[in-house]
Amino acid sequence: TAFVVRLKRQAPSKLFCSSAPDGNNKPPSMLRHLTSKIKATGPIPVAEYMREVLTNPVKGYYVRNNMLGPEGDFITSPEISQIFGELIGVWIISEWMGAGQPKQLQLVELGPGKGSLASDVIRVFSQLQSVLGGASVSLHLVEVSPALSLLQAQNLTGNRSQEADAEDDLVYRRGETEAGLPVSWYRRLDDVPTGFSIFVAHEFFDALPIHKFQRTEKGWREVLVDIDPEKPDTLRFVVAPAPTLASTSLVQADEKRDHVEVSAEGGVIVQQLARRIIEDGGAALIIDYGHNGTKTDTFRGFKGHQLHDVLASPGSADLTADVDFNYLRRMAGGGVACLGPVTQNTFLKNMGIDTRMQILLRNCSDPSTRKQLISSYNMLTNPAKMGERFHFFSLLHPSRLAKPQKPQGLKLEKKKSPAPLPVAGFTELKFA
Ligand code: SAH
């Protein structure tokens, strides 16, 4: 999860503080943890390295307590402008309508960060209460980091949340928003109750562990992380001498590239999303930087808005890899409909960001706020900034894209079954 931007610092703090420098000569604990693991079991797959560094329950980058602060390692769209989350809120309501306005609407967010996106979505829900009518709405957050879950609870519920009973091993925190909307926290998507749901994952899939594979003369080999024999407290990449289970199962037979990255974990989560959407209805919106199965080596680290060597001082920097949308589409299978990826610029324009900006600017006379509005709009949509780097990809119930049925049988029956509403964001807005 990372995107390097150099913005003038805005008032609220951005995500994550880099760790304080270690005050002694011992290698930092994450490095010690990894080197003893490697000494015990041999070189580890990049996926295991990434999982340990990011989400180790004690020392992981996302889990650590001291990582939140005014100076962060990266900045994300929902933190740049509230318009981003508001338009996603409109998208969610539009998909709920497209599904025939079911009585229950679960909003499920994977990796909610500071909770800003969810809070902007919920504000739209309350503004469009008349549209949502009597639907009972609930918010479900999938978050591994205890530190971030507390921050989310603070932002979304104030002090109206508490740790769940120890017997309840699925939900670890519960609360409600000021408007009384129930909020629950889970460690894994599997723990979220079934039911009609709209899933949102912003900069979540890029943080999931990837396996790396290298084409060699002897065939595909997995890239592993090992201790450098010449420098004991330094890690290095090595190529596995023989095939591994991952290298034989995760590389496509007709793969053309010489180096590939595969997030098996991302694949499993997409399969779970697809199954839920097919069985219970709903949609998923996956937003991230990525490619369509064309890129090779995208694994990188970010610290203090700068690129950072992925193997240096592990745990002090964010690790990320571009999302392979082709792979996600393949893992989603044929049962769900997939739309996109389309660029962030296209999606936001289709969702009416320009109109929303005009309204905000019309109602705002303070020059510095106006300047800020314009610069954040530019950051989100400019192709040279986030506009073309980020992509929107959606999984939908197949009925959402079904072609209208031709009238069959009796000629008297003139009515066609209506075409489904177009999916907002992925098609151009037209005002009739
Ligand atoms: N969506 C937010 C935050 C992105 S950072 C934003 O765009 O601002 C990635 C988020 O995913 C963090 O909240 C992190 O703690 C969470 N996360 C990372 N790996 C996870 C995993 N395996 N399961 C659940 N949450 C995870």
Side-chain angles (χ1 to χ4, degrees):
T1 301
F3 180 72
V4 183
V5 283
R6 265 161 271 275
L7 268 189
K8 267 189 260 141
R9 279 264 160 239
Q10 297 163 5
S13 64
K14 299 294 172 267
L15 281 172
F16 309 164
C17 190
S18 319
S19 63
D22 274 70
N24 53 35
N25 294 328
K26 273 204 284 180
S29 61
M30 174 58 80
L31 181 59
R32 257 183 291 140
H33 167 68
L34 290 164
T35 50
S36 48
K37 199 178 172 93
I38 294 168
K39 277 178 196 151
T41 66
I44 56 173
V46 172
E48 191 175 340
Y49 174 77
M50 200 171 166
R51 182 176 309 111
E52 283 299 315
V53 170
L54 292 184
T55 60
N56 175 288
V58 184
K59 308 179 185 100
Y61 173 80
Y62 284 118
V63 175
R64 264 181 9 229
N65 287 312
N66 66 348
M67 65 187 183
L68 300 159
E71 291 292 316
D73 289 327
F74 55 89
I75 188 168
T76 62
S77 293
E79 301 299 324
I80 290 172
S81 169
Q82 67 181 70
I83 301 182
F84 188 83
E86 289 170 354
L87 294 176
I88 288 176
V90 173
W91 189 88
I92 292 169
I93 293 180
S94 153
E95 277 314 297
W96 170 80
M97 291 172 75
Q101 313 192 350
K103 291 246 162 352
Q104 293 214 336
L105 167 57
Q106 296 196 140
L107 166 59
V108 184
E109 189 180 357
L110 307 177
K114 292 170 82 170
S116 310
L117 177 64
S119 108
D120 293 335
V121 167
I122 280 170
R123 196 176 51 254
V124 168
F125 283 7
S126 60
Q127 281 159 358
L128 295 180
Q129 197 54 56
S130 59
V131 181
L132 276 169
S136 94
V137 182
S138 52
L139 179 58
H140 305 263
L141 304 176
V142 179
E143 175 58 72
V144 277
S145 164
L148 284 180
S149 70
L150 281 179
L151 197 69
Q152 293 152 15
Q154 186 58 40
N155 285 343
L156 291 161
T157 70
N159 51 15
R160 289 172 303 275
S161 89
Q162 55 190 44
E163 239 174 271
D165 296 341
E167 302 94 75
D168 191 344
D169 51 355
L170 300 185
V171 177
Y172 66 87
R173 174 168 289 277
R174 280 179 211 282
E176 60 173 36
T177 64
E178 199 174 357
L181 192 138
V183 191
S184 321
W185 279 263
Y186 314 80
R187 285 177 196 87
R188 306 168 324 133
L189 172 60
D190 252 354
D191 299 340
V192 177
T194 56
F196 181 90
S197 306
I198 308 277
F199 303 90
V200 177
H202 184 262
E203 289 214 38
F204 170 76
F205 278 86
D206 69 87
L208 298 178
I210 50 150
H211 288 269
K212 276 171 102 60
F213 304 104
Q214 177 67 43
R215 190 194 292 277
T216 70
E217 280 167 7
K218 292 185 231 124
W220 285 99
R221 293 290 184 269
E222 182 160 12
V223 178
L224 307 172
V225 175
D226 197 3
I227 303 167
D228 190 331
E230 326 234 290
K231 293 176 248 157
D233 282 328
T234 310
L235 300 171
R236 61 166 192 174
F237 289 117
V238 293
V239 174
T244 56
L245 183 60
S247 69
T248 48
S249 61
L250 292 176
V251 184
Q252 292 283 102
D254 60 351
E255 183 56 62
K256 297 283 179 309
R257 291 168 286 174
D258 288 334
H259 187 98
V260 289
E261 297 168 337
V262 182
S263 173
E265 211 164 297
V268 168
I269 291 177
V270 158
Q271 283 175 332
Q272 291 173 344
L273 292 174
R275 200 193 56 235
R276 281 171 178 259
I277 290 166
I278 295 165
E279 287 173 6
D280 310 313
L285 192 57
I286 296 171
I287 309 149
D288 230 305
Y289 36 76
H291 57 92
N292 269 321
T294 50
K295 287 204 182 170
T296 56
D297 183 7
T298 72
F299 186 37
R300 57 204 189 281
F302 282 93
K303 184 171 176 172
H305 298 266
Q306 303 290 332
L307 273 169
H308 182 87
D309 181 342
V310 286
L311 297 182
S313 45
S316 75
D318 187 27
L319 298 181
T320 171
D322 283 13
V323 173
D324 182 344
F325 290 105
N326 243 11
Y327 173 70
L328 295 191
R329 192 183 297 106
R330 197 162 69 236
M331 296 309 282
V336 278
C338 296
L339 269 187
V342 299
T343 64
Q344 173 154 309
N345 175 283
T346 302
F347 185 92
L348 295 179
K349 298 239 165 177
N350 285 344
M351 288 303 302
I353 192 170
D354 292 340
T355 316
R356 179 82 184 116
M357 265 300 283
Q358 278 162 16
I359 295 168
L360 287 174
L361 285 174
R362 203 180 300 144
N363 295 330
C364 169
S365 53
D366 172 47
S368 85
T369 313
R370 288 177 70 89
K371 220 170 134 194
Q372 209 241 265
L373 272 172
I374 292 166
S375 94
S376 54
Y377 166 86
N378 184 37
M379 181 65 77
L380 293 184
T381 57
N382 187 329
K385 298 190 169 147
M386 292 164 122
E388 282 188 358
R389 187 182 276 248
F390 281 82
H391 294 85
F392 283 63
F393 177 67
S394 179
L395 309 181
L396 301 157
H397 193 270
S399 62
R400 284 294 286 122
L401 299 184
K403 295 237 159 59
Q405 298 266 304
K406 287 235 174 71
Q408 286 178 345
L410 284 174
K411 275 199 181 134
L412 288 172
E413 212 179 299
K414 275 201 197 112
K415 259 200 194 156
K416 284 187 191 176
S417 70
L421 291 172
V423 179
F426 292 87
T427 37
E428 211 178 314
L429 264 190
K430 288 196 192 84
F431 295 101

